[in-house]
């Protein structure tokens, strides 16, 4: 008996040990003893040897960025690695609130999945070193381990982005003199000493965020950890972790009631950013914070202060013109009148003008500049050349020739180590005076390279100039020795930037490449393959021949686009948007629409949607309320062209030209995940009289079907996540198009098209709660993304419009796509509309395109098959439709 009890006890101890091992090393936190082997794909043997050689020569230690009491601003860092979806959402938030941040990334995650790193780099945010595994207590590690952690990460990030990090951070680490020397030997210039860490689970509400930010002292470096640091010692749970939450593993049973819900990191960040904006706190780049300089002799870290001598040395090259201009202008008074305002950098001009902007700097090689001027003239294009003091001093004739050629000149601001407000103002005045004497009056400023300081932004604002920056920078640090223009293109644009967009500012540095002929060749390729490809060009409608084909984008100077008020706009202000279009307004509640009526009367279905395939959560009785036709009820030969997803200018601009050419309006169901990267394109769709509907933010279907069992499964998003997705989607559309009306017809609708056309009861409930008025699947999907030739695409559209007898399917709703994959859609639609225009009005094959909003009013009921579109009968039936469908000639 005793032996049996002993065996059972021993078995229990073994099981507890196994569970404990799994918990400590797999479930709750990363552990140092379970760190990915560092001898894998990215070897750093030579770098290790090089670092050791530097250490043997008593290398100067790295410095430390730290909190300052002299700066009325804060800095923000995001520490750790994320999945690509979370990365996108965080980047969208930073762009939305116009806040900069530094991302500290661990090398091991980046090496396994570099998508999120590329996304960060593409958006222009700094990426720095967070050790190879986000290793805590780095100062306690052996020297060789520290070097491996830092060097591996340096190499991984450099391979992915082409830029080696210059700053590092290690969680819960003391920056000792030895550690800072090892960092310097690894090629790192400085460490970061964060002042305040955000604890995500303590920021549950906007009020929590507001309280948190209220306690943050100005001059602090705030850090948001998005990943759990790796400990070098075994994790010992504290008293608050008696019942830790396990991540769900395959085959692991979880007690749902005991699962701890953590705050979503994206929500936490938005609450923090909202609080920062509400309090008008400046967030400046981390590199603008002061450095602590390490003193090797006494192992102390001293605060860095400029000596009077250094200040004089920094101003030496300004001295000659300082006397002439400082005496004539009171910069102290200028600064006081400016009241601390800082110029915002414009990289993307909010405009619907079909033009791209070229900007140039680095005018030290006249041969290259003249070559660029010739190429611009051959393109019938113009650009903006930013002139620096040394440019105008060394070669004034070159600057005169730029102005004489009809191109724009702006003021180039040099990146000087000890520049301040006064020296920057002095230099601006000097260049502006010289340019005015040459007949130009510059209104733009640009600092082409180097970190833009708060003093520079303040000086530009005080001098009443507009500060410009690149949306696309054609020069990256690893391109200097390139000889192939195509290689530069591939490096700059990658596989997915098919075209440039309206209002984008493209920057070329003219003195960077070792090959003097390269920049001109690159500019030609940019024009040919990223701008000219936005034009609609079919075998019978070529813009070079047809002067009415206005689909071609132009290349213009920045000022020509920036100051053209005809096409400029701003994001919609809530108070300027009619109440019934605001995201806070729910028309379903206002009109007392019940959920049952919502499904029955406001769902425009699809013949393929049913319980056995793609409708989850509905009873058989509930499915009887579903519309299966997908057609709008009408007695007239009206059809509706709808376009899903999102794309770039190359695809969408061609569609818009075809619609404009035939005076047709359509409905665009927009996928909003990346729409704020190119808001001008969305605004253009709306301003040309088309409907704007929603297609979700992340394109996650309401239900999925197991490919093996055909069993329907819930959405990959929870109810709360789906609610946020739908809310975020509408808010983005509202921000860009909420105030657009064409002939008193609002562009923004509350129509929704479900991703992949699949539906679920939970999804419908979320749509209902978010106030989407109609759910529109449609009667026929053309599958344009799969069509292999023009003929098959034409046949697909015809099949959606006409029945077997060649007569119009009245009320047909055709599903097409605006993405780049639908390569034949625009041309096929053009040919079909051209043929249709040639038919007589009484021809049974003649159809009349319309927008969904022309018919889906609040009184429209899909459950009434005999319902007409509530339009008054008109004796001149054909002419009436022709005018009111938007299909007739302007003014008819």
């Amino acid at each position: 008996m005793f032996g049996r009890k002993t065996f059972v006890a021993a078995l229990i101890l073994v099981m507890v040990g196994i569970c404990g091992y799994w918990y400590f090393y797999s479930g709750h936190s990363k552990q140092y003893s379970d760190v990915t082997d560092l001898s894998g794909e990215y070897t750093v043997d030579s770098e290790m040897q090089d670092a050791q050689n530097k250490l043997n020569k008593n290398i100067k230690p790295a410095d430390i960025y730290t909190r300052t009491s002299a700066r009325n601003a804060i800095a923000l860092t995001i520490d750790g690695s994320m999945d690509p979806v979370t990365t996108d959402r965080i980047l969208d938030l930073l762009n939305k609130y116009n806040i900069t941040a530094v991302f500290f990334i661990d090398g091991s995650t980046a090496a396994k999945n570099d998508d999120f790193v590329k996304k960060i780099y593409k958006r222009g945010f700094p990426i720095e070193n967070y050790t190879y595994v986000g290793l805590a207590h780095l100062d306690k590690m052996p020297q060789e381990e520290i070097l491996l952690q830092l060097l591996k990460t340096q190499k991984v990030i450099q391979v992915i982005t082409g830029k080696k990090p210059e700053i590092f951070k290690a969680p819960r680490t003391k920056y000792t003199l030895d550690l800072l020397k090892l960092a310097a030997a690894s090629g790192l210039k400085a460490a970061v000493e964060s002042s305040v860490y955000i604890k995500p689970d303590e920021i549950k509400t906007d009020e929590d965020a507001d309280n948190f930010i209220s306690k943050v002292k100005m001059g602090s470096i705030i850090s948001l950890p998005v990943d759990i640091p790796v400990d070098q010692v075994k994790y010992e749970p504290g008293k608050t972790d008696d019942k830790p939450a396990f991540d769900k593993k395959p085959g692991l049973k979880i007690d749902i009631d005991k699962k701890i819900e953590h705050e979503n990191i994206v929500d936490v960040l938005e609450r923090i950013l909202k609080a920062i904006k509400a309090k008008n706190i400046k967030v400046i780049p981390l590199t603008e914070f002061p450095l602590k300089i390490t003193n090797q002799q006494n192992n102390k870290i001293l605060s860095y202060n400029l000596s009077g001598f250094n200040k004089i040395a920094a101003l030496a090259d300004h001295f000659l013109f300082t006397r002439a201009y400082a005496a004539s202008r009171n910069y102290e008074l200028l600064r006081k009148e400016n009241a601390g305002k800082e110029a915002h950098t414009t990289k993307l001009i909010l405009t619907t003008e079909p033009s791209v902007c070229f900007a140039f700097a680095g005018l030290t090689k006249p041969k290259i500049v003249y070559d660029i001027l010739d190429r611009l003239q051959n393109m019938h294009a113009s650009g903006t050349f930013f002139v620096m003091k040394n440019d105008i001093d060394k070669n004034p004739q070159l600057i005169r020739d730029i102005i004489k050629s009809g191109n724009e000149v702006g003021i180039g601001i040099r990146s000087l180590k000890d520049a301040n407000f006064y020296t920057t103002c002095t230099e601006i005045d000097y260049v502006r005076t010289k340019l005015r004497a040459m007949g130009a009056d510059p209104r733009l400023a640009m600092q082409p390279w180097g970190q833009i300081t708060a003093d520079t932004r303040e000086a530009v604002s005080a001098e009443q100039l507009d500060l410009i920056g690149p949306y696309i920078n054609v020069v990256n640090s690893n391109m200097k020795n390139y000889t192939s223009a195509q290689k530069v293109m591939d490096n700059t644009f990658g596989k997915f930037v098919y075209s440039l967009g309206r209002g984008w500012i493209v920057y070329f540095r003219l003195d960077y490449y070792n090959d003097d002929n390269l920049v001109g060749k690159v500019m030609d390729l940019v024009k040919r393959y990223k701008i000219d490809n936005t034009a609609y060009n079919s075998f019978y409608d070529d813009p070079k021949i047809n002067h009415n084909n206005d689909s071609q984008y132009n290349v213009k100077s920045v000022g020509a686009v920036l100051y053209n008020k005809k096409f400029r706009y701003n994001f919609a202000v809530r108070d300027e948007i009619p109440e019934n279009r605001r995201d806070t307004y729910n028309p379903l509640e206002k009109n007392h629409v019940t959920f049952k009526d919502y499904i029955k009367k406001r769902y425009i279905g699809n013949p393929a949607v049913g319980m056995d395939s793609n409708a989850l959560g509905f009873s058989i009785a509930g499915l009887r309320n579903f519309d299966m036709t997908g057609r709008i009820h009408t007695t007239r030969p009206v059809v509706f062209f709808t376009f899903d997803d999102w794309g770039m200018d190359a695809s969408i601009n061609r569609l818009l030209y075809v619609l404009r050419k035939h005076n047709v309006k359509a409905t665009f169901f927009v996928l909003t995940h990346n729409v704020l990267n190119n808001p001008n394109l969305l605004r253009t769709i709306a301003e040309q009289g088309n409907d704007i509907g929603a297609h979700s933010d992340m394109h996650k279907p309401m239900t999925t079907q197991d490919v093996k069992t055909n069993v329907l499964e819930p959405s990959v998003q929870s109810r709360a996540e789906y609610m946020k997705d739908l809310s975020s989607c509408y808010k983005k559309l509202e921000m860009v198009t909420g105030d657009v009306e064409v002939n008193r017809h609002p562009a923004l609708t509350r129509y929704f098209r479900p991703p992949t056309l699949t539906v679920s009861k939970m999804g419908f409930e979320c749509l209902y709660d978010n106030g989407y008025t109609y759910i529109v699947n449609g009667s026929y999907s053309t599958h344009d993304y799969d069509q292999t030739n023009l003929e098959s695409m034409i046949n697909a559209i015809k099949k959606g419009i006409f029945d077997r007898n060649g007569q119009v399917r009245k009320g047909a709703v055709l599903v097409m796509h605006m993405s780049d994959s639908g390569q034949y859609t625009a041309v096929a639609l053009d040919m079909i509309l051209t043929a249709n225009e040639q038919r007589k009005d009484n021809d049974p094959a003649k159809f009349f395109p319309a927008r969904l909003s022309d018919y889906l009013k609040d009184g429209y009921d899909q459950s009434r098959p005999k319902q007409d579109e509530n339009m008054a009968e008109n004796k001149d039936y054909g002419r009436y439709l022709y005018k009111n469908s938007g299909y007739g000639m302007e003014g008819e």
Side-chain angles (χ1 to χ4, degrees), residues 246-258:
F246 292 139
D247 291 330
K248 187 174 182 179
K249 307 289 182 181
L252 178 67
K253 294 182 179 179
I254 304 175
D255 186 346
I256 301 297
D257 294 334
K258 295 182 179 180

Side-chain angles (χ1 to χ4, degrees), residues 357-360 368-385 407 474 485-486 488-489 493 500 506-508 510 513 517-532 555:
C357 302
F358 278 4
F360 307 93
I368 298 177
V369 177
Y370 284 118
D371 177 57
I372 292 296
L373 291 175
D374 288 342
R375 292 174 188 268
L376 287 172
Q377 185 177 17
N378 292 334
M379 293 177 184
H380 304 289
S382 60
T384 303
F385 292 76
N407 289 280
V474 183
Q486 188 57 55
V488 174
M489 293 288 289
F493 298 103
L500 301 183
V506 185
Y507 165 62
F508 302 86
L510 302 184
Y513 302 116
N517 298 316
L518 190 59
V519 66
K521 295 177 181 178
V522 171
M523 188 180 77
D524 282 348
L525 291 184
V526 170
K527 173 68 163 57
R528 187 183 312 164
Y529 295 119
K530 302 299 178 182
I531 297 176
D532 289 350
V555 175

Side-chain angles (χ1 to χ4, degrees), residues 429-638:
D429 280 342
Y430 179 85
V431 176
R432 178 157 50 190
T433 300
K434 291 281 189 179
L435 291 176
R436 282 176 174 171
M438 295 178 178
D441 188 12
R443 303 168 66 182
L444 306 173
M446 180 182 187
Q447 182 178 309
W449 47 81
Q451 194 71 40
I452 304 177
T453 66
D455 272 4
T456 297
R457 294 182 183 278
E458 191 177 356
V460 172
S461 174
E463 294 283 357
Q464 297 185 359
L465 295 169
D466 290 305
L467 187 61
I468 301 302
Y471 194 69
I472 297 289
N473 189 344
V474 183
V475 176
N476 288 326
S477 58
N478 61 339
M479 295 182 181
K480 191 172 184 64
N481 297 317
Y482 279 16
T483 57
S484 166
Q486 188 57 55
K487 188 175 180 181
V488 174
M489 293 288 289
D490 294 342
N491 190 300
T492 301
F493 298 103
K495 297 179 180 179
F496 304 108
V497 182
Y498 300 111
S499 59
L500 301 183
R502 300 167 186 240
W504 291 18
I505 299 174
V506 185
Y507 165 62
F508 302 86
R509 180 172 173 177
L510 302 184
D511 61 355
Y512 184 76
Y513 302 116
N514 290 331
D515 182 351
D516 288 351
N517 298 316
L518 190 59
V519 66
K521 295 177 181 178
V522 171
M523 188 180 77
D524 282 348
L525 291 184
V526 170
K527 173 68 163 57
R528 187 183 312 164
Y529 295 119
K530 302 299 178 182
I531 297 176
D532 289 350
N533 69 335
T534 58
Y536 179 81
N537 187 351
S538 70
F539 53 88
Y540 68 93
D541 189 354
D542 187 335
K544 296 177 183 178
I545 300 172
N546 178 14
H547 298 297
N548 292 321
N549 184 333
D550 59 354
S551 62
Q552 178 68 58
Y553 280 15
N554 301 307
V555 175
K556 291 188 176 182
S557 65
V558 176
V561 177
L562 183 65
Y563 303 123
N564 189 344
K565 295 182 180 180
K566 178 181 178 181
F567 298 100
R568 289 297 309 279
Y569 71 95
N570 290 310
F571 286 141
V573 179
R574 178 66 60 89
D575 293 341
E576 297 176 358
I577 301 173
E579 182 182 2
N580 62 356
R581 264 177 265 158
R582 300 177 193 173
D583 67 287
T584 52
Y585 181 86
N586 190 326
L588 300 174
E589 294 179 355
K590 188 76 173 179
N591 294 318
H592 307 291
V593 177
T594 66
F595 183 66
K596 183 178 179 180
D597 281 348
Y598 183 61
I599 298 172
K600 184 177 181 180
K601 298 179 179 181
R602 293 172 177 257
Y603 170 62
I604 290 86
N606 182 274
V609 175
M611 180 178 287
D612 59 342
S613 57
N614 42 24
L616 180 69
F618 296 99
S619 65
I620 295 176
L623 284 173
R624 291 188 184 129
N625 288 321
F626 271 41
D627 168 62
M628 300 297 290
T629 67
R631 289 157 62 180
I632 303 299
H633 298 314
T634 174
T635 60
R636 299 165 179 170
V638 178

Side-chain angles (χ1 to χ4, degrees), residues 81 172 180 195 258 287 316 364 377 530-531 539 603 611 658 723 806 848 884:
S81 300
R172 299 197 288 271
L180 293 173
S195 318
K258 295 182 179 180
T287 50
T364 60
Q377 185 177 17
K530 302 299 178 182
I531 297 176
F539 53 88
Y603 170 62
M611 180 178 287
V658 170
M723 285 289 290
F848 296 87
N884 290 277

Side-chain angles (χ1 to χ4, degrees), residues 669-684:
F669 288 101
V670 181
L671 177 65
T672 58
H673 177 50
N674 287 316
V675 81
L676 294 184
N677 292 333
N678 196 357
N680 294 340
L681 189 55
L682 176 60
R683 182 82 177 192
T684 301

Side-chain angles (χ1 to χ4, degrees), residues 142-160:
Q143 174 177 304
E144 183 177 356
E145 184 66 40
I146 294 173
L147 286 175
L148 277 173
Q149 288 283 329
L150 297 177
L151 288 170
K152 279 270 190 178
T153 309
Q154 291 290 89
K155 191 162 189 176
V156 170
I157 294 176
Q158 184 180 23
V159 168
I160 295 171

Side-chain angles (χ1 to χ4, degrees), residues 89 261-264 266-267 270-271 697-698 700 702 714-729 731 760-767 769-770:
R89 295 175 69 187
E261 292 292 339
H262 294 288
E263 288 298 304
N264 183 286
V266 178
D267 297 337
E270 181 160 26
R271 292 167 192 149
D697 190 49
M698 300 300 298
K700 293 186 177 180
M702 296 184 198
S715 168
V716 292
Q717 297 186 108
S718 66
R719 178 185 293 270
E721 289 172 331
Y722 202 62
M723 285 289 290
K724 288 181 179 178
D725 182 288
L726 297 175
S727 175
S728 173
C729 178
K731 285 178 180 177
S760 73
K761 186 176 182 181
M762 183 272 285
F764 274 32
E765 289 169 347
C766 292
L767 288 167
D769 290 341
N770 271 279

